Short mmCIF file of all heavy atoms in Angstrom, two decimals:
data_model
loop_
_atom_site.label_atom_id
_atom_site.label_comp_id
_atom_site.label_asym_id
_atom_site.label_seq_id
_atom_site.Cartn_x
_atom_site.Cartn_y
_atom_site.Cartn_z
N MET A 18 52.90 -40.53 -32.18
CA MET A 18 54.16 -40.68 -32.84
C MET A 18 54.26 -42.08 -33.43
O MET A 18 53.63 -43.00 -32.94
CB MET A 18 55.32 -40.49 -31.86
CG MET A 18 55.43 -39.13 -31.24
SD MET A 18 56.83 -39.13 -30.11
CE MET A 18 57.58 -37.63 -30.60
N PHE A 19 55.07 -42.20 -34.43
CA PHE A 19 55.31 -43.49 -35.07
C PHE A 19 56.81 -43.75 -35.12
O PHE A 19 57.60 -42.82 -35.32
CB PHE A 19 54.77 -43.50 -36.51
CG PHE A 19 53.28 -43.39 -36.58
CD1 PHE A 19 52.66 -42.17 -36.72
CD2 PHE A 19 52.50 -44.53 -36.50
CE1 PHE A 19 51.28 -42.07 -36.78
CE2 PHE A 19 51.12 -44.44 -36.56
CZ PHE A 19 50.51 -43.21 -36.70
N ASP A 20 57.22 -45.00 -34.97
CA ASP A 20 58.63 -45.33 -35.12
C ASP A 20 58.92 -45.67 -36.58
O ASP A 20 58.05 -45.54 -37.45
CB ASP A 20 59.04 -46.47 -34.18
CG ASP A 20 58.40 -47.80 -34.51
OD1 ASP A 20 57.75 -47.93 -35.56
OD2 ASP A 20 58.56 -48.74 -33.71
N ALA A 21 60.14 -46.12 -36.86
CA ALA A 21 60.54 -46.41 -38.24
C ALA A 21 59.72 -47.53 -38.87
O ALA A 21 59.61 -47.60 -40.10
CB ALA A 21 62.02 -46.78 -38.27
N ASN A 22 59.12 -48.39 -38.06
CA ASN A 22 58.30 -49.49 -38.57
C ASN A 22 56.82 -49.11 -38.69
O ASN A 22 56.00 -49.94 -39.06
CB ASN A 22 58.42 -50.71 -37.66
CG ASN A 22 59.82 -51.24 -37.62
OD1 ASN A 22 60.49 -51.33 -38.65
ND2 ASN A 22 60.30 -51.58 -36.44
N GLY A 23 56.49 -47.89 -38.35
CA GLY A 23 55.10 -47.46 -38.42
C GLY A 23 54.29 -47.80 -37.18
O GLY A 23 53.07 -47.63 -37.18
N SER A 24 54.96 -48.28 -36.14
CA SER A 24 54.26 -48.61 -34.89
C SER A 24 54.07 -47.35 -34.06
O SER A 24 54.96 -46.50 -33.98
CB SER A 24 55.08 -49.62 -34.07
OG SER A 24 55.25 -50.81 -34.80
N ARG A 25 52.91 -47.25 -33.43
CA ARG A 25 52.63 -46.09 -32.58
C ARG A 25 53.33 -46.25 -31.25
O ARG A 25 53.46 -47.34 -30.72
CB ARG A 25 51.13 -45.96 -32.34
CG ARG A 25 50.34 -45.65 -33.60
CD ARG A 25 48.87 -45.49 -33.31
NE ARG A 25 48.58 -44.35 -32.47
CZ ARG A 25 48.47 -43.08 -32.90
NH1 ARG A 25 48.65 -42.81 -34.16
NH2 ARG A 25 48.17 -42.12 -32.06
N PHE A 26 53.80 -45.14 -30.69
CA PHE A 26 54.39 -45.15 -29.37
C PHE A 26 54.21 -43.79 -28.73
O PHE A 26 53.93 -42.80 -29.41
CB PHE A 26 55.88 -45.53 -29.41
CG PHE A 26 56.77 -44.46 -29.98
CD1 PHE A 26 57.41 -43.56 -29.14
CD2 PHE A 26 56.97 -44.35 -31.34
CE1 PHE A 26 58.23 -42.57 -29.66
CE2 PHE A 26 57.79 -43.37 -31.87
CZ PHE A 26 58.42 -42.48 -31.03
N ALA A 27 54.36 -43.75 -27.43
CA ALA A 27 54.31 -42.49 -26.69
C ALA A 27 55.62 -42.36 -25.93
O ALA A 27 56.04 -43.30 -25.24
CB ALA A 27 53.14 -42.49 -25.73
N LEU A 28 56.25 -41.24 -26.04
CA LEU A 28 57.50 -40.98 -25.33
C LEU A 28 57.16 -40.37 -23.98
O LEU A 28 56.46 -39.36 -23.89
CB LEU A 28 58.38 -40.03 -26.14
CG LEU A 28 59.68 -39.60 -25.48
CD1 LEU A 28 60.58 -40.82 -25.27
CD2 LEU A 28 60.38 -38.56 -26.33
N VAL A 29 57.65 -41.00 -22.92
CA VAL A 29 57.47 -40.49 -21.56
C VAL A 29 58.87 -40.13 -21.08
O VAL A 29 59.68 -41.01 -20.81
CB VAL A 29 56.81 -41.55 -20.64
CG1 VAL A 29 56.59 -40.99 -19.26
CG2 VAL A 29 55.50 -42.03 -21.24
N LEU A 30 59.14 -38.83 -20.98
CA LEU A 30 60.49 -38.37 -20.68
C LEU A 30 60.44 -37.28 -19.62
O LEU A 30 59.82 -36.24 -19.82
CB LEU A 30 61.15 -37.83 -21.95
CG LEU A 30 62.56 -37.30 -21.82
CD1 LEU A 30 63.52 -38.42 -21.45
CD2 LEU A 30 63.00 -36.65 -23.13
N GLY A 31 61.03 -37.52 -18.50
CA GLY A 31 61.15 -36.50 -17.47
C GLY A 31 60.05 -36.56 -16.43
O GLY A 31 59.05 -37.27 -16.56
N LEU A 32 60.27 -35.79 -15.37
CA LEU A 32 59.36 -35.78 -14.23
C LEU A 32 57.95 -35.33 -14.60
O LEU A 32 56.97 -35.93 -14.16
CB LEU A 32 59.93 -34.86 -13.13
CG LEU A 32 59.10 -34.68 -11.88
CD1 LEU A 32 58.89 -36.01 -11.16
CD2 LEU A 32 59.75 -33.68 -10.96
N SER A 33 57.84 -34.30 -15.42
CA SER A 33 56.49 -33.81 -15.76
C SER A 33 55.70 -34.83 -16.56
O SER A 33 54.49 -34.97 -16.34
CB SER A 33 56.58 -32.48 -16.50
OG SER A 33 57.28 -32.63 -17.71
N ASP A 34 56.34 -35.54 -17.48
CA ASP A 34 55.63 -36.58 -18.24
C ASP A 34 55.22 -37.74 -17.34
O ASP A 34 54.09 -38.21 -17.39
CB ASP A 34 56.50 -37.12 -19.38
CG ASP A 34 56.59 -36.17 -20.56
OD1 ASP A 34 55.85 -35.17 -20.59
OD2 ASP A 34 57.40 -36.44 -21.46
N TRP A 35 56.16 -38.24 -16.52
CA TRP A 35 55.83 -39.35 -15.63
C TRP A 35 54.79 -38.96 -14.60
O TRP A 35 53.95 -39.76 -14.20
CB TRP A 35 57.09 -39.88 -14.94
CG TRP A 35 57.87 -40.79 -15.80
CD1 TRP A 35 59.03 -40.52 -16.45
CD2 TRP A 35 57.54 -42.14 -16.13
NE1 TRP A 35 59.44 -41.62 -17.17
CE2 TRP A 35 58.55 -42.63 -16.98
CE3 TRP A 35 56.49 -42.99 -15.79
CZ2 TRP A 35 58.53 -43.92 -17.50
CZ3 TRP A 35 56.49 -44.28 -16.30
CH2 TRP A 35 57.50 -44.73 -17.14
N GLY A 36 54.81 -37.72 -14.17
CA GLY A 36 53.84 -37.25 -13.19
C GLY A 36 52.42 -37.26 -13.71
O GLY A 36 51.47 -37.30 -12.93
N GLN A 37 52.23 -37.25 -15.01
CA GLN A 37 50.88 -37.29 -15.61
C GLN A 37 50.35 -38.71 -15.77
O GLN A 37 49.22 -38.90 -16.22
CB GLN A 37 50.90 -36.59 -16.97
CG GLN A 37 51.22 -35.11 -16.87
CD GLN A 37 50.28 -34.38 -15.93
OE1 GLN A 37 49.06 -34.48 -16.06
NE2 GLN A 37 50.84 -33.67 -14.97
N CYS A 38 51.15 -39.71 -15.41
CA CYS A 38 50.72 -41.11 -15.51
C CYS A 38 49.95 -41.52 -14.26
O CYS A 38 50.11 -40.94 -13.19
CB CYS A 38 51.93 -42.02 -15.67
SG CYS A 38 52.83 -41.74 -17.21
N ARG A 39 49.12 -42.52 -14.42
CA ARG A 39 48.35 -43.08 -13.30
C ARG A 39 48.77 -44.53 -13.09
O ARG A 39 49.23 -45.19 -14.01
CB ARG A 39 46.86 -43.04 -13.60
CG ARG A 39 46.33 -41.65 -13.83
CD ARG A 39 44.85 -41.67 -14.23
NE ARG A 39 44.41 -40.39 -14.69
CZ ARG A 39 43.99 -39.41 -13.90
NH1 ARG A 39 43.95 -39.58 -12.61
NH2 ARG A 39 43.60 -38.26 -14.41
N LEU A 40 48.59 -45.03 -11.88
CA LEU A 40 48.94 -46.41 -11.59
C LEU A 40 47.97 -47.40 -12.21
O LEU A 40 48.33 -48.53 -12.49
CB LEU A 40 49.02 -46.64 -10.07
CG LEU A 40 50.16 -45.87 -9.39
CD1 LEU A 40 50.09 -46.08 -7.89
CD2 LEU A 40 51.50 -46.31 -9.93
N ASP A 41 46.73 -46.98 -12.41
CA ASP A 41 45.77 -47.80 -13.15
C ASP A 41 44.78 -46.86 -13.83
O ASP A 41 44.75 -45.67 -13.57
CB ASP A 41 45.06 -48.82 -12.25
CG ASP A 41 44.20 -48.19 -11.18
OD1 ASP A 41 43.67 -47.08 -11.38
OD2 ASP A 41 44.03 -48.80 -10.12
N ALA A 42 43.99 -47.39 -14.69
CA ALA A 42 43.08 -46.55 -15.48
C ALA A 42 41.75 -46.31 -14.78
O ALA A 42 40.90 -45.63 -15.32
CB ALA A 42 42.84 -47.20 -16.84
N ALA A 43 41.57 -46.83 -13.60
CA ALA A 43 40.27 -46.74 -12.92
C ALA A 43 40.16 -45.49 -12.06
O ALA A 43 39.65 -45.53 -10.95
CB ALA A 43 40.06 -47.99 -12.08
N GLY A 44 40.66 -44.37 -12.55
CA GLY A 44 40.51 -43.11 -11.83
C GLY A 44 41.50 -42.90 -10.70
O GLY A 44 41.25 -42.09 -9.80
N ALA A 45 42.61 -43.59 -10.72
CA ALA A 45 43.63 -43.40 -9.70
C ALA A 45 44.23 -42.00 -9.84
O ALA A 45 44.23 -41.42 -10.93
CB ALA A 45 44.72 -44.46 -9.85
N PRO A 46 44.75 -41.44 -8.75
CA PRO A 46 45.37 -40.12 -8.86
C PRO A 46 46.64 -40.16 -9.71
O PRO A 46 47.25 -41.22 -9.89
CB PRO A 46 45.69 -39.75 -7.42
CG PRO A 46 45.57 -40.99 -6.63
CD PRO A 46 44.75 -41.95 -7.41
N LEU A 47 47.04 -39.02 -10.20
CA LEU A 47 48.27 -38.92 -10.97
C LEU A 47 49.47 -39.21 -10.08
O LEU A 47 49.43 -38.97 -8.87
CB LEU A 47 48.41 -37.51 -11.56
CG LEU A 47 47.35 -37.06 -12.53
CD1 LEU A 47 47.57 -35.60 -12.89
CD2 LEU A 47 47.36 -37.92 -13.78
N LEU A 48 50.54 -39.72 -10.68
CA LEU A 48 51.75 -39.96 -9.90
C LEU A 48 52.26 -38.69 -9.26
O LEU A 48 52.73 -38.71 -8.12
CB LEU A 48 52.84 -40.57 -10.80
CG LEU A 48 52.73 -42.05 -11.08
CD1 LEU A 48 53.78 -42.48 -12.09
CD2 LEU A 48 52.84 -42.87 -9.81
N ALA A 49 52.17 -37.56 -9.95
CA ALA A 49 52.63 -36.30 -9.38
C ALA A 49 51.88 -35.98 -8.09
O ALA A 49 52.47 -35.52 -7.11
CB ALA A 49 52.47 -35.17 -10.39
N THR A 50 50.58 -36.25 -8.06
CA THR A 50 49.77 -36.01 -6.87
C THR A 50 50.22 -36.92 -5.73
O THR A 50 50.36 -36.49 -4.59
CB THR A 50 48.28 -36.25 -7.18
OG1 THR A 50 47.90 -35.40 -8.26
CG2 THR A 50 47.41 -35.98 -5.97
N LEU A 51 50.46 -38.18 -6.05
CA LEU A 51 50.91 -39.13 -5.03
C LEU A 51 52.30 -38.76 -4.51
O LEU A 51 52.55 -38.83 -3.30
CB LEU A 51 50.93 -40.55 -5.61
CG LEU A 51 49.57 -41.14 -5.95
CD1 LEU A 51 49.74 -42.47 -6.68
CD2 LEU A 51 48.73 -41.32 -4.71
N TRP A 52 53.20 -38.37 -5.40
CA TRP A 52 54.55 -37.99 -4.98
C TRP A 52 54.52 -36.76 -4.08
O TRP A 52 55.23 -36.68 -3.09
CB TRP A 52 55.45 -37.75 -6.18
CG TRP A 52 55.81 -39.01 -6.92
CD1 TRP A 52 55.88 -40.27 -6.42
CD2 TRP A 52 56.16 -39.12 -8.29
NE1 TRP A 52 56.25 -41.16 -7.39
CE2 TRP A 52 56.43 -40.48 -8.56
CE3 TRP A 52 56.27 -38.22 -9.34
CZ2 TRP A 52 56.81 -40.94 -9.80
CZ3 TRP A 52 56.65 -38.69 -10.58
CH2 TRP A 52 56.92 -40.03 -10.82
N ARG A 53 53.68 -35.76 -4.42
CA ARG A 53 53.58 -34.56 -3.58
C ARG A 53 53.01 -34.92 -2.21
O ARG A 53 53.48 -34.42 -1.18
CB ARG A 53 52.69 -33.52 -4.25
CG ARG A 53 53.41 -32.68 -5.27
CD ARG A 53 52.59 -31.47 -5.69
NE ARG A 53 51.31 -31.81 -6.29
CZ ARG A 53 51.13 -32.03 -7.59
NH1 ARG A 53 52.14 -31.95 -8.42
NH2 ARG A 53 49.94 -32.34 -8.06
N ALA A 54 52.00 -35.77 -2.17
CA ALA A 54 51.39 -36.18 -0.90
C ALA A 54 52.41 -36.92 -0.03
O ALA A 54 52.50 -36.68 1.18
CB ALA A 54 50.16 -37.05 -1.15
N ALA A 55 53.17 -37.82 -0.63
CA ALA A 55 54.18 -38.57 0.13
C ALA A 55 55.26 -37.63 0.65
O ALA A 55 55.73 -37.77 1.79
CB ALA A 55 54.79 -39.65 -0.76
N ALA A 56 55.67 -36.65 -0.16
CA ALA A 56 56.69 -35.69 0.27
C ALA A 56 56.19 -34.81 1.41
O ALA A 56 56.97 -34.36 2.25
CB ALA A 56 57.13 -34.84 -0.91
N ALA A 57 54.88 -34.57 1.44
CA ALA A 57 54.28 -33.75 2.49
C ALA A 57 54.03 -34.55 3.78
O ALA A 57 53.54 -34.00 4.75
CB ALA A 57 52.98 -33.13 2.00
N GLY A 58 54.32 -35.84 3.76
CA GLY A 58 54.17 -36.67 4.94
C GLY A 58 52.85 -37.41 5.05
O GLY A 58 52.57 -38.01 6.08
N ALA A 59 52.04 -37.36 4.01
CA ALA A 59 50.76 -38.08 4.04
C ALA A 59 51.03 -39.59 4.03
O ALA A 59 52.05 -40.05 3.54
CB ALA A 59 49.91 -37.70 2.84
N ASP A 60 50.10 -40.34 4.58
CA ASP A 60 50.24 -41.79 4.66
C ASP A 60 49.72 -42.41 3.35
O ASP A 60 48.60 -42.92 3.31
CB ASP A 60 49.48 -42.32 5.86
CG ASP A 60 49.72 -43.80 6.08
OD1 ASP A 60 50.78 -44.29 5.66
OD2 ASP A 60 48.85 -44.45 6.68
N VAL A 61 50.53 -42.33 2.29
CA VAL A 61 50.18 -42.92 1.00
C VAL A 61 51.27 -43.89 0.59
O VAL A 61 52.43 -43.71 0.92
CB VAL A 61 49.99 -41.84 -0.10
CG1 VAL A 61 48.83 -40.94 0.20
CG2 VAL A 61 51.25 -41.05 -0.29
N THR A 62 50.86 -44.92 -0.11
CA THR A 62 51.82 -45.89 -0.63
C THR A 62 51.98 -45.63 -2.12
O THR A 62 51.01 -45.71 -2.87
CB THR A 62 51.32 -47.33 -0.41
OG1 THR A 62 51.14 -47.53 1.00
CG2 THR A 62 52.31 -48.33 -0.93
N VAL A 63 53.19 -45.32 -2.51
CA VAL A 63 53.49 -45.07 -3.92
C VAL A 63 54.54 -46.09 -4.35
O VAL A 63 55.67 -46.04 -3.87
CB VAL A 63 54.02 -43.63 -4.13
CG1 VAL A 63 54.17 -43.34 -5.60
CG2 VAL A 63 53.12 -42.61 -3.47
N PRO A 64 54.19 -47.02 -5.23
CA PRO A 64 55.13 -48.07 -5.61
C PRO A 64 56.25 -47.61 -6.54
O PRO A 64 57.24 -48.31 -6.71
CB PRO A 64 54.26 -49.11 -6.31
CG PRO A 64 53.09 -48.34 -6.81
CD PRO A 64 52.88 -47.22 -5.83
N LEU A 65 56.10 -46.42 -7.12
CA LEU A 65 57.13 -45.89 -8.01
C LEU A 65 57.70 -44.61 -7.43
O LEU A 65 56.96 -43.80 -6.88
CB LEU A 65 56.55 -45.60 -9.40
CG LEU A 65 55.97 -46.80 -10.14
CD1 LEU A 65 55.32 -46.34 -11.44
CD2 LEU A 65 57.04 -47.82 -10.43
N ALA A 66 58.99 -44.44 -7.58
CA ALA A 66 59.66 -43.24 -7.06
C ALA A 66 60.40 -42.54 -8.19
O ALA A 66 60.87 -43.19 -9.13
CB ALA A 66 60.64 -43.62 -5.96
N TRP A 67 60.48 -41.22 -8.09
CA TRP A 67 61.27 -40.45 -9.05
C TRP A 67 62.67 -40.29 -8.49
O TRP A 67 62.85 -39.89 -7.35
CB TRP A 67 60.63 -39.08 -9.29
CG TRP A 67 61.45 -38.25 -10.20
CD1 TRP A 67 62.23 -37.20 -9.88
CD2 TRP A 67 61.60 -38.43 -11.61
NE1 TRP A 67 62.85 -36.70 -10.99
CE2 TRP A 67 62.49 -37.44 -12.07
CE3 TRP A 67 61.07 -39.33 -12.53
CZ2 TRP A 67 62.85 -37.33 -13.40
CZ3 TRP A 67 61.43 -39.22 -13.85
CH2 TRP A 67 62.31 -38.23 -14.28
N GLU A 68 63.67 -40.63 -9.30
CA GLU A 68 65.07 -40.48 -8.92
C GLU A 68 65.66 -39.30 -9.68
O GLU A 68 66.01 -39.42 -10.85
CB GLU A 68 65.85 -41.75 -9.24
CG GLU A 68 65.44 -42.93 -8.40
CD GLU A 68 66.34 -44.13 -8.63
OE1 GLU A 68 67.15 -44.12 -9.58
OE2 GLU A 68 66.23 -45.07 -7.86
N PRO A 69 65.78 -38.14 -9.04
CA PRO A 69 66.25 -36.95 -9.75
C PRO A 69 67.69 -37.06 -10.23
O PRO A 69 68.05 -36.48 -11.25
CB PRO A 69 66.09 -35.83 -8.72
CG PRO A 69 65.97 -36.50 -7.41
CD PRO A 69 65.44 -37.87 -7.65
N ASP A 70 68.54 -37.83 -9.52
CA ASP A 70 69.93 -37.96 -9.95
C ASP A 70 70.05 -38.66 -11.30
O ASP A 70 70.94 -38.34 -12.09
CB ASP A 70 70.75 -38.74 -8.92
CG ASP A 70 70.87 -37.99 -7.60
OD1 ASP A 70 70.69 -36.75 -7.61
OD2 ASP A 70 71.12 -38.64 -6.58
N ASN A 71 69.16 -39.61 -11.55
CA ASN A 71 69.18 -40.37 -12.81
C ASN A 71 68.10 -39.91 -13.78
O ASN A 71 68.04 -40.40 -14.90
CB ASN A 71 68.97 -41.86 -12.53
CG ASN A 71 70.03 -42.43 -11.65
OD1 ASN A 71 71.18 -42.04 -11.73
ND2 ASN A 71 69.65 -43.36 -10.79
N ALA A 72 67.22 -39.01 -13.33
CA ALA A 72 66.06 -38.58 -14.12
C ALA A 72 65.28 -39.80 -14.60
O ALA A 72 65.00 -39.97 -15.78
CB ALA A 72 66.47 -37.70 -15.28
N ALA A 73 64.95 -40.67 -13.63
CA ALA A 73 64.29 -41.93 -13.97
C ALA A 73 63.26 -42.30 -12.92
O ALA A 73 63.32 -41.85 -11.78
CB ALA A 73 65.33 -43.04 -14.06
N VAL A 74 62.33 -43.14 -13.33
CA VAL A 74 61.36 -43.72 -12.42
C VAL A 74 61.88 -45.09 -12.03
O VAL A 74 62.40 -45.84 -12.86
CB VAL A 74 59.97 -43.85 -13.10
CG1 VAL A 74 59.01 -44.65 -12.24
CG2 VAL A 74 59.40 -42.48 -13.38
N ALA A 75 61.76 -45.42 -10.74
CA ALA A 75 62.23 -46.71 -10.25
C ALA A 75 61.23 -47.24 -9.24
O ALA A 75 60.35 -46.50 -8.76
CB ALA A 75 63.60 -46.56 -9.60
N LEU A 76 61.38 -48.50 -8.89
CA LEU A 76 60.55 -49.05 -7.82
C LEU A 76 60.89 -48.33 -6.53
O LEU A 76 62.07 -48.08 -6.25
CB LEU A 76 60.80 -50.55 -7.66
CG LEU A 76 60.34 -51.41 -8.83
CD1 LEU A 76 60.76 -52.86 -8.60
CD2 LEU A 76 58.85 -51.33 -9.02
N ALA A 77 59.89 -47.98 -5.76
CA ALA A 77 60.11 -47.26 -4.51
C ALA A 77 60.80 -48.17 -3.49
O ALA A 77 60.62 -49.39 -3.49
CB ALA A 77 58.78 -46.77 -3.95
N GLU A 78 61.56 -47.55 -2.65
CA GLU A 78 62.25 -48.28 -1.60
C GLU A 78 61.25 -48.73 -0.55
O GLU A 78 60.39 -47.95 -0.13
CB GLU A 78 63.29 -47.37 -0.95
CG GLU A 78 64.16 -48.03 0.04
CD GLU A 78 65.24 -47.10 0.57
OE1 GLU A 78 65.89 -46.44 -0.25
OE2 GLU A 78 65.39 -47.02 1.79
N ARG A 79 61.34 -49.98 -0.15
CA ARG A 79 60.45 -50.52 0.88
C ARG A 79 61.28 -51.00 2.04
O ARG A 79 62.21 -51.79 1.88
CB ARG A 79 59.62 -51.69 0.35
CG ARG A 79 58.52 -51.25 -0.56
CD ARG A 79 57.69 -52.36 -1.11
NE ARG A 79 57.46 -53.45 -0.14
CZ ARG A 79 56.77 -54.51 -0.41
NH1 ARG A 79 56.24 -54.69 -1.60
NH2 ARG A 79 56.60 -55.44 0.48
N VAL A 80 60.97 -50.54 3.24
CA VAL A 80 61.68 -50.94 4.44
C VAL A 80 60.76 -51.84 5.23
O VAL A 80 59.61 -51.50 5.50
CB VAL A 80 62.09 -49.71 5.28
CG1 VAL A 80 62.81 -50.15 6.54
CG2 VAL A 80 62.94 -48.77 4.45
N ARG A 81 61.25 -52.99 5.62
CA ARG A 81 60.44 -53.93 6.41
C ARG A 81 60.86 -53.89 7.83
O ARG A 81 61.92 -53.71 8.21
CB ARG A 81 60.59 -55.35 5.87
CG ARG A 81 59.92 -55.48 4.54
CD ARG A 81 59.99 -56.92 4.12
NE ARG A 81 59.34 -57.04 2.84
CZ ARG A 81 58.41 -57.92 2.57
NH1 ARG A 81 58.04 -58.77 3.46
NH2 ARG A 81 57.87 -57.96 1.40
#
């Protein structure tokens, strides 16, 4: 896609789009895979969380 200035961009909108993103390009699992594993109780650290009330990605809550 291109914006009005001719610059390329990619629109990431919604859970399914964000779920296809990776934390790094070095073969990390998809965010959707990490979110499912965390929801199932696996011991994984996911720095980003999906907030369904806001339909947004946010920094995950960390409890010390």
Side-chain angles (χ1 to χ4, degrees):
M18 297 179 133
F19 294 94
D20 67 9
N22 297 318
S24 299
R25 295 182 64 82
F26 72 94
L28 176 64
V29 182
L30 180 65
L32 178 61
S33 61
D34 284 350
W35 279 104
Q37 296 304 308
C38 296
R39 300 176 191 275
L40 293 176
D41 64 30
L47 298 174
L48 280 174
T50 303
L51 293 172
W52 289 333
R53 277 192 300 271
D60 187 25
V61 296
T62 302
V63 187
L65 299 174
W67 177 254
E68 293 186 349
D70 295 339
N71 300 325
V74 171
L76 293 175
E78 186 176 313
R79 285 180 37 180
V80 179
R81 290 185 180 231

